[in-house]
PDB file of all heavy atoms in Angstrom:
ATOM      1  N   GLU A 681      -4.535   4.545  29.716  1.00  0.00           N
ATOM      2  CA  GLU A 681      -5.942   4.314  29.409  1.00  0.00           C
ATOM      3  C   GLU A 681      -6.243   4.758  27.997  1.00  0.00           C
ATOM      4  O   GLU A 681      -5.755   5.827  27.568  1.00  0.00           O
ATOM      5  CB  GLU A 681      -6.816   5.039  30.415  1.00  0.00           C
ATOM      6  CG  GLU A 681      -6.680   4.611  31.847  1.00  0.00           C
ATOM      7  CD  GLU A 681      -7.588   5.369  32.788  1.00  0.00           C
ATOM      8  OE1 GLU A 681      -8.373   6.228  32.302  1.00  0.00           O
ATOM      9  OE2 GLU A 681      -7.557   5.115  34.000  1.00  0.00           O
ATOM     10  N   TYR A 682      -7.019   3.970  27.284  1.00  0.00           N
ATOM     11  CA  TYR A 682      -7.308   4.240  25.873  1.00  0.00           C
ATOM     12  C   TYR A 682      -8.774   4.075  25.585  1.00  0.00           C
ATOM     13  O   TYR A 682      -9.493   3.300  26.208  1.00  0.00           O
ATOM     14  CB  TYR A 682      -6.515   3.256  24.971  1.00  0.00           C
ATOM     15  CG  TYR A 682      -5.015   3.441  25.041  1.00  0.00           C
ATOM     16  CD1 TYR A 682      -4.269   2.790  25.994  1.00  0.00           C
ATOM     17  CD2 TYR A 682      -4.358   4.300  24.132  1.00  0.00           C
ATOM     18  CE1 TYR A 682      -2.879   2.951  26.047  1.00  0.00           C
ATOM     19  CE2 TYR A 682      -3.005   4.471  24.206  1.00  0.00           C
ATOM     20  CZ  TYR A 682      -2.254   3.794  25.137  1.00  0.00           C
ATOM     21  OH  TYR A 682      -0.917   3.959  25.197  1.00  0.00           O
ATOM     22  N   MET A 683      -9.230   4.840  24.537  1.00  0.00           N
ATOM     23  CA  MET A 683     -10.553   4.706  23.993  1.00  0.00           C
ATOM     24  C   MET A 683     -10.446   4.027  22.615  1.00  0.00           C
ATOM     25  O   MET A 683      -9.534   4.371  21.857  1.00  0.00           O
ATOM     26  CB  MET A 683     -11.221   6.083  23.837  1.00  0.00           C
ATOM     27  CG  MET A 683     -11.487   6.782  25.150  1.00  0.00           C
ATOM     28  SD  MET A 683     -12.284   8.377  24.930  1.00  0.00           S
ATOM     29  CE  MET A 683     -10.958   9.289  24.105  1.00  0.00           C
ATOM     30  N   LEU A 684     -11.325   3.079  22.337  1.00  0.00           N
ATOM     31  CA  LEU A 684     -11.334   2.356  21.067  1.00  0.00           C
ATOM     32  C   LEU A 684     -12.666   2.619  20.357  1.00  0.00           C
ATOM     33  O   LEU A 684     -13.708   2.685  20.980  1.00  0.00           O
ATOM     34  CB  LEU A 684     -11.169   0.863  21.285  1.00  0.00           C
ATOM     35  CG  LEU A 684      -9.773   0.295  21.545  1.00  0.00           C
ATOM     36  CD1 LEU A 684      -9.266   0.722  22.911  1.00  0.00           C
ATOM     37  CD2 LEU A 684      -9.789  -1.212  21.441  1.00  0.00           C
ATOM     38  N   ALA A 685     -12.576   2.778  19.046  1.00  0.00           N
ATOM     39  CA  ALA A 685     -13.759   2.889  18.206  1.00  0.00           C
ATOM     40  C   ALA A 685     -13.623   1.989  17.030  1.00  0.00           C
ATOM     41  O   ALA A 685     -12.527   1.954  16.389  1.00  0.00           O
ATOM     42  CB  ALA A 685     -13.972   4.346  17.747  1.00  0.00           C
ATOM     43  N   ALA A 686     -14.680   1.220  16.725  1.00  0.00           N
ATOM     44  CA  ALA A 686     -14.643   0.302  15.587  1.00  0.00           C
ATOM     45  C   ALA A 686     -15.804   0.599  14.662  1.00  0.00           C
ATOM     46  O   ALA A 686     -16.882   0.930  15.114  1.00  0.00           O
ATOM     47  CB  ALA A 686     -14.736  -1.138  16.105  1.00  0.00           C
ATOM     48  N   VAL A 687     -15.522   0.507  13.344  1.00  0.00           N
ATOM     49  CA  VAL A 687     -16.550   0.764  12.326  1.00  0.00           C
ATOM     50  C   VAL A 687     -16.608  -0.453  11.429  1.00  0.00           C
ATOM     51  O   VAL A 687     -15.600  -0.852  10.821  1.00  0.00           O
ATOM     52  CB  VAL A 687     -16.220   2.015  11.478  1.00  0.00           C
ATOM     53  CG1 VAL A 687     -17.307   2.263  10.446  1.00  0.00           C
ATOM     54  CG2 VAL A 687     -16.059   3.248  12.379  1.00  0.00           C
ATOM     55  N   ALA A 688     -17.793  -1.085  11.375  1.00  0.00           N
ATOM     56  CA  ALA A 688     -17.971  -2.283  10.583  1.00  0.00           C
ATOM     57  C   ALA A 688     -18.174  -1.926   9.106  1.00  0.00           C
ATOM     58  O   ALA A 688     -18.422  -0.776   8.726  1.00  0.00           O
ATOM     59  CB  ALA A 688     -19.206  -3.059  11.085  1.00  0.00           C
ATOM     60  N   PHE A 689     -18.035  -2.966   8.285  1.00  0.00           N
ATOM     61  CA  PHE A 689     -18.203  -2.815   6.820  1.00  0.00           C
ATOM     62  C   PHE A 689     -19.566  -2.234   6.469  1.00  0.00           C
ATOM     63  O   PHE A 689     -19.698  -1.441   5.535  1.00  0.00           O
ATOM     64  CB  PHE A 689     -17.958  -4.149   6.150  1.00  0.00           C
ATOM     65  CG  PHE A 689     -18.442  -4.195   4.730  1.00  0.00           C
ATOM     66  CD1 PHE A 689     -17.760  -3.559   3.710  1.00  0.00           C
ATOM     67  CD2 PHE A 689     -19.578  -4.942   4.408  1.00  0.00           C
ATOM     68  CE1 PHE A 689     -18.188  -3.607   2.421  1.00  0.00           C
ATOM     69  CE2 PHE A 689     -20.035  -5.018   3.116  1.00  0.00           C
ATOM     70  CZ  PHE A 689     -19.347  -4.348   2.123  1.00  0.00           C
ATOM     71  N   ASP A 690     -20.614  -2.664   7.169  1.00  0.00           N
ATOM     72  CA  ASP A 690     -21.960  -2.237   6.891  1.00  0.00           C
ATOM     73  C   ASP A 690     -22.327  -0.913   7.569  1.00  0.00           C
ATOM     74  O   ASP A 690     -23.467  -0.471   7.468  1.00  0.00           O
ATOM     75  CB  ASP A 690     -22.985  -3.300   7.253  1.00  0.00           C
ATOM     76  CG  ASP A 690     -22.962  -3.635   8.740  1.00  0.00           C
ATOM     77  OD1 ASP A 690     -22.139  -2.992   9.494  1.00  0.00           O
ATOM     78  OD2 ASP A 690     -23.683  -4.546   9.182  1.00  0.00           O
ATOM     79  N   GLY A 691     -21.389  -0.269   8.275  1.00  0.00           N
ATOM     80  CA  GLY A 691     -21.647   1.008   8.884  1.00  0.00           C
ATOM     81  C   GLY A 691     -21.942   0.986  10.368  1.00  0.00           C
ATOM     82  O   GLY A 691     -22.155   2.023  10.984  1.00  0.00           O
ATOM     83  N   GLY A 692     -21.936  -0.196  10.968  1.00  0.00           N
ATOM     84  CA  GLY A 692     -22.113  -0.264  12.420  1.00  0.00           C
ATOM     85  C   GLY A 692     -20.921   0.349  13.145  1.00  0.00           C
ATOM     86  O   GLY A 692     -19.797   0.255  12.691  1.00  0.00           O
ATOM     87  N   VAL A 693     -21.193   0.966  14.321  1.00  0.00           N
ATOM     88  CA  VAL A 693     -20.156   1.607  15.076  1.00  0.00           C
ATOM     89  C   VAL A 693     -20.258   1.108  16.551  1.00  0.00           C
ATOM     90  O   VAL A 693     -21.363   0.968  17.088  1.00  0.00           O
ATOM     91  CB  VAL A 693     -20.297   3.146  15.057  1.00  0.00           C
ATOM     92  CG1 VAL A 693     -19.223   3.825  15.895  1.00  0.00           C
ATOM     93  CG2 VAL A 693     -20.290   3.662  13.614  1.00  0.00           C
ATOM     94  N   ALA A 694     -19.111   0.896  17.178  1.00  0.00           N
ATOM     95  CA  ALA A 694     -19.084   0.488  18.562  1.00  0.00           C
ATOM     96  C   ALA A 694     -17.848   1.095  19.222  1.00  0.00           C
ATOM     97  O   ALA A 694     -16.823   1.359  18.540  1.00  0.00           O
ATOM     98  CB  ALA A 694     -19.050  -1.036  18.692  1.00  0.00           C
ATOM     99  N   THR A 695     -17.898   1.304  20.513  1.00  0.00           N
ATOM    100  CA  THR A 695     -16.766   1.887  21.255  1.00  0.00           C
ATOM    101  C   THR A 695     -16.496   1.035  22.509  1.00  0.00           C
ATOM    102  O   THR A 695     -17.350   0.307  22.984  1.00  0.00           O
ATOM    103  CB  THR A 695     -17.027   3.351  21.697  1.00  0.00           C
ATOM    104  OG1 THR A 695     -18.189   3.332  22.534  1.00  0.00           O
ATOM    105  CG2 THR A 695     -17.263   4.251  20.489  1.00  0.00           C
ATOM    106  N   ALA A 696     -15.274   1.170  23.021  1.00  0.00           N
ATOM    107  CA  ALA A 696     -14.910   0.443  24.231  1.00  0.00           C
ATOM    108  C   ALA A 696     -13.711   1.205  24.869  1.00  0.00           C
ATOM    109  O   ALA A 696     -13.169   2.165  24.266  1.00  0.00           O
ATOM    110  CB  ALA A 696     -14.475  -0.989  23.929  1.00  0.00           C
TER     111      ALA A 696
END
Side-chain angles (χ1 to χ4, degrees):
E681 298 181 1
Y682 294 88
M683 296 180 293
L684 281 69
V687 180
F689 164 73
D690 60 2
V693 179
T695 60

